Amino acid sequence: MALRRDPHVLVIGGSDSSGGAGIARDIETIASIGVRTCLAVTALTVQTHEAVVEIHHSQPRLVADQMRAALQANKVEAIKIGMLATAETVGAVVAVLRENPQVPAILDPVLASSSGRALLEASAIRVMTRDLMPLCRLVTPNLIELALLVGAEQAVDEDGAVKQGQELLAGAQAILIKGGHAAGPRSTDILMSSDQEPVRFDTPRLAPSMRGTGCMLASAIAAHLARAKSLEDSVRKGKLFVYERLQKNAAE
């Protein structure tokens, strides 16, 4: 089948019944870049654009089996990881990533919904930082997530964010600190890795809000990685993709 030869991104995450974030946003983003998707669903949620009402977790074994089936069926060139919900699910994902070290993984560490509902158990954060992050090519925390991952207060300026990023780099290959929760007229994302100086991706800050931008950015980066782009180029193209979508949303 020709489909088997097409590059795919394996999306691991939860559903969003409103369509604003989660797997719905991932598929939309990756398809618009011209890459196919396959799935491992970690949770079913009942939510609107305002609130998460219910969360039903998939069994960890089922998540791992979905991943293995997707990897067997398709030419998976990148993996995008979103909502994992529990420590057991994090462990299941870790096991499959260890079986497939040749496939780069992008981790969007989804800790809470836009409305504030916790989407990852507190006990799972340690498992994520200790076991999952070292296996991922890139981790994409916003400022709130970055602070939670290193156990600190949210950084109030770029120097503070970079310092927290350096702490997180002790257990990660590379991180992209997202500047969407910062203040000021510019939105700056900072790509950090242990073997080079921080690289900044800067755009004007747009006033309109849009759900699922974190999902969108990580998915866009994964889609470009699947097309054999370098990490820095993939981040640059992913940032541009999100900015253009926000511009379009503002104009509508």
Side-chain angles (χ1 to χ4, degrees):
M1 294 176 60
L3 179 62
R4 291 177 180 269
R5 297 194 296 270
D6 292 338
H8 284 65
V9 172
L10 169 55
V11 174
I12 305 166
S15 71
D16 177 349
S17 51
S18 74
I23 284 178
R25 182 70 77 184
D26 296 329
I27 294 172
E28 174 189 20
T29 298
I30 295 166
S32 69
I33 295 172
V35 179
R36 295 185 180 274
T37 56
C38 45
L39 305 174
V41 181
T42 61
L44 300 176
T45 72
V46 178
Q47 61 180 299
T48 66
H49 293 302
E50 288 73 39
V52 179
V53 181
E54 293 182 49
I55 301 174
H56 300 273
H57 301 150
S58 300
Q59 291 296 316
R61 178 194 58 77
L62 179 60
V63 174
D65 286 349
Q66 290 178 84
M67 291 176 64
R68 292 187 177 104
L71 286 157
Q72 179 181 349
N74 304 299
K75 183 183 178 184
V76 175
E77 298 288 359
I79 298 172
K80 187 269 179 177
I81 306 169
M83 177 184 176
L84 295 177
T86 69
E88 291 77 14
T89 298
V90 175
V93 171
V94 166
V96 181
L97 291 187
R98 286 174 175 162
E99 297 168 4
N100 298 273
Q102 76 284 0
V103 185
I106 308 298
L107 171 63
D108 179 18
V110 178
L111 305 184
S113 67
S114 299
S115 61
R117 175 75 176 265
L119 298 179
L120 182 70
E121 295 175 346
S123 61
I125 293 178
R126 173 59 179 159
V127 182
M128 176 177 283
T129 56
R130 183 191 65 203
D131 298 337
L132 179 57
M133 286 188 183
L135 302 177
C136 295
R137 183 68 185 88
L138 180 69
V139 184
T140 64
N142 59 36
L143 293 176
I144 298 171
E145 293 161 345
L146 177 62
L148 288 170
L149 290 169
V150 300
E153 296 294 321
Q154 183 177 331
V156 298
D157 55 27
E158 186 175 299
D159 288 343
V162 169
K163 184 176 180 180
Q164 291 184 357
Q166 289 170 337
E167 185 175 345
L168 196 63
L169 265 180
Q173 298 178 38
I175 64 171
L176 179 68
I177 303 172
K178 297 179 292 191
H181 288 82
R186 310 289 294 182
S187 176
T188 303
D189 296 349
I190 306 171
L191 177 63
M192 301 179 63
S193 61
S194 58
D195 58 353
Q196 67 177 47
E197 291 297 311
V199 179
R200 288 164 174 79
F201 303 89
D202 187 66
T203 57
R205 188 178 301 280
L206 298 174
S209 61
M210 180 179 180
R211 291 184 60 234
T213 53
C215 304
M216 190 186 303
L217 178 59
S219 292
I221 294 170
H224 285 295
L225 272 181
R227 301 179 74 175
K229 302 292 184 181
S230 70
L231 180 61
E232 184 175 331
D233 190 37
S234 296
V235 171
R236 181 176 292 106
K237 289 180 181 296
K239 172 82 171 179
L240 179 60
F241 178 90
V242 174
Y243 180 70
E244 290 176 344
R245 287 302 171 100
L246 286 171
Q247 278 188 313
K248 181 179 178 181
N249 189 53
E252 292 177 347

